[in-house]
Amino acid sequence: MGMNGFVYIIESPSKHDLLHGRVEGRALSEAFNLARIPFWYSLASDREMLAEALSSHLVDACSHQHPLVPILHFSLHGDENNVGLTSGESLSWHDLRYLLLPLNRMIQGGLIICMSSCFGYYGCRMAMYNDKEPPFYALVGNTHSTTWADSAVAYITFYHLLFKGLPVESCVESMKIASGDNNFGFEFGQSMKIAWLQYIQQIDASGFRQSIQQAASETRIMFLGDFSR
């Protein structure tokens, strides 16, 4: 194998997915067994179970797979701002970043995150922080809505090639072809963080705060003017 890691699946399907047997983790597990890709599975139905999956259960997985490094695969529902759990609870990208910080620190910013969800690419927001925490190494996800069938085919292809030693970029291009969905993409965390910090510095330098205050004042005047009619 070309990859010194194992896939750590964290799945949180909706109640309807469970009712109809739509569980991506099952398909991935069977494919990994065939390809002899090491993996570990966790079902995280609510926030408490998700925290456990990323703490004590992850410790167990790493102990069994030592010295391999976990690649996180999240299989759940999501949108631009949140990911959803079986219980109906949701977490913002900020919440998820907070849960992932200890693991990312431990592997010194080397974390690969795969978001098998609608709008999973928006997890790149977890790199947009002006602090000393290392961002993830790379994040793979879809920029739009996607189907479970397309997502499963895409990620089976991605991991099959990744564990053969192909670079992330090539794996993502192949998953687009295999699934017929060109909305899969990836970002390197460090590049995303640098670009975001440069953007913040640019808008600060251009007097953004003063401009937004002026715009807010104009909006308030317009609203009050309309309201008083």
Side-chain angles (χ1 to χ4, degrees):
M1 292 296 180
M3 167 62 64
N4 185 31
F6 72 98
V7 184
Y8 186 64
I9 304 169
I10 299 177
E11 188 165 44
S12 192
S14 72
K15 295 177 180 178
H16 290 289
D17 290 333
L18 288 173
L19 176 64
H20 296 288
R22 293 190 295 259
V23 282
E24 184 194 51
R26 183 185 304 163
L28 288 177
S29 297
E30 292 178 358
F32 291 159
N33 278 324
L34 282 173
R36 296 185 180 180
I37 293 174
F39 72 96
W40 198 268
Y41 178 88
S42 286
L43 178 65
S45 58
D46 56 27
R47 291 173 73 102
E48 181 182 353
M49 291 299 99
L50 178 61
E52 187 171 335
L54 289 168
S55 55
S56 59
H57 206 207
L58 179 59
V59 170
D60 291 342
C62 290
S63 297
H64 281 83
Q65 300 288 352
H66 182 77
L68 303 180
V69 175
I71 301 167
L72 295 188
H73 180 94
F74 289 95
S75 179
L76 32 67
H77 288 276
D79 58 30
E80 295 95 327
N81 301 307
N82 305 282
V83 292
L85 305 176
T86 308
S87 62
E89 297 170 286
S90 63
L91 288 88
S92 68
W93 294 116
H94 175 78
D95 294 335
L96 186 57
R97 176 184 184 262
Y98 180 78
L99 287 175
L100 297 181
L101 278 178
L103 174 61
N104 199 37
R105 288 173 189 150
M106 186 266 290
I107 58 178
Q108 301 176 351
L111 185 61
I112 296 177
I113 304 170
C114 293
M115 298 300 306
S116 184
S117 68
C118 293
F119 302 99
Y121 177 86
Y122 283 80
C124 289
R125 293 178 177 178
M126 293 188 288
M128 298 178 182
Y129 283 79
N130 186 12
D131 57 27
K132 295 182 180 180
E133 296 289 351
F136 53 80
Y137 172 70
L139 183 140
V140 181
N142 200 294
T143 59
H144 293 75
S145 296
T146 187
T147 66
W148 282 128
D150 286 349
S151 191
V153 170
Y155 279 107
I156 288 171
T157 302
F158 173 82
Y159 290 119
H160 184 67
L161 297 177
L162 186 69
F163 277 81
K164 283 182 175 289
L166 273 69
V168 173
E169 303 94 314
S170 299
C171 297
V172 172
E173 287 304 310
S174 295
M175 70 192 293
K176 292 179 183 179
I177 297 170
S179 64
D181 187 340
N182 288 321
N183 294 318
F184 285 102
F186 80 99
E187 293 289 347
F188 290 116
Q190 190 62 40
S191 299
M192 177 63 69
K193 182 169 186 172
I194 291 172
W196 182 79
L197 290 175
Q198 289 175 341
Y199 170 73
I200 293 299
Q201 292 170 358
Q202 178 182 351
I203 61 177
D204 280 348
S206 63
F208 175 77
R209 290 175 181 169
Q210 182 178 352
S211 298
I212 198 67
Q213 287 175 350
Q214 181 179 348
S217 297
E218 292 175 359
T219 300
R220 184 173 183 275
I221 291 170
M222 291 173 61
F223 174 76
L224 291 176
D226 291 339
F227 187 74
S228 61
R229 291 176 187 174

